[in-house]
Amino acid sequence: MRTVQRDLFVLSSLLLLGTLALTGCTPEPAPPAPQASETSAPTDSPVFASDEEALAAATEAYAAYLAAGDEAEESGSPSRELFLSLSSGEAHRQDLSVAASFDDQGWKQVGSTSFDSMAIQSTKITVDGGWEIKVYVCLDVTKSDIVDSSGTSVSKTDRPLRLPLEVAFIGTEQSSNYLQIAESRVWSGSNFC
């Protein structure tokens, strides 16, 4: 996966974390158990050969996204541009908004983020011939923080450190090794983390 894609992926996650850290948002109860993926394709060919293949692709893309976010620097830097290239749609708009807010406040993310418990929710071929993978994942921010220009933490002390998320990835035939995050939101059901 491209370095730019990874950096953008991480920045997006960090922005989500920053928003959650500042608002004190806590997830609602856990989601239902993951269901077998649903493939709704206009053709007979599946999106991936198996759910395991789709899960591996999503795992690689999410790891790259988080790593890029951990490394993303100030606006206009190559690491910030890389991070922003790993998202599209709603997730990209969210990443841009959080990045602008961090820049305005003089904040930055320090440390590293990780994840576990990723499970496929669904896979499908989209109307435009691309594909989408939706997953449930536990985002772990125990080793990261948001600090101001003096290095003082601006995160709420009671912020959730493990967040149940629903994340959507999109890709196209032309970029089969390239997934972008299209959506990332705190799961509104039971906390499965």
Side-chain angles (χ1 to χ4, degrees), residues 43-63:
T43 66
D44 292 336
S45 61
V47 176
F48 290 94
S50 66
D51 278 355
E52 291 76 23
E53 186 179 300
L55 182 61
T59 299
E60 180 181 348
Y62 201 58

Side-chain angles (χ1 to χ4, degrees), residues 5 19-20 23 59 80 87 90-91 104 120 132 167 180 190:
Q5 294 170 329
T19 300
L20 293 172
T23 63
T59 299
R80 171 77 64 88
S87 61
E90 179 186 323
D104 290 346
I120 294 289
E132 176 186 79
V167 178
Q180 288 183 307
S190 299

Side-chain angles (χ1 to χ4, degrees), residues 151-171:
T152 302
S153 176
V154 295
S155 298
K156 293 189 179 247
T157 56
D158 62 346
R159 70 183 171 130
L161 298 176
R162 288 181 49 80
L163 305 165
L165 301 179
E166 181 179 26
V167 178
F169 301 88
I170 58 168

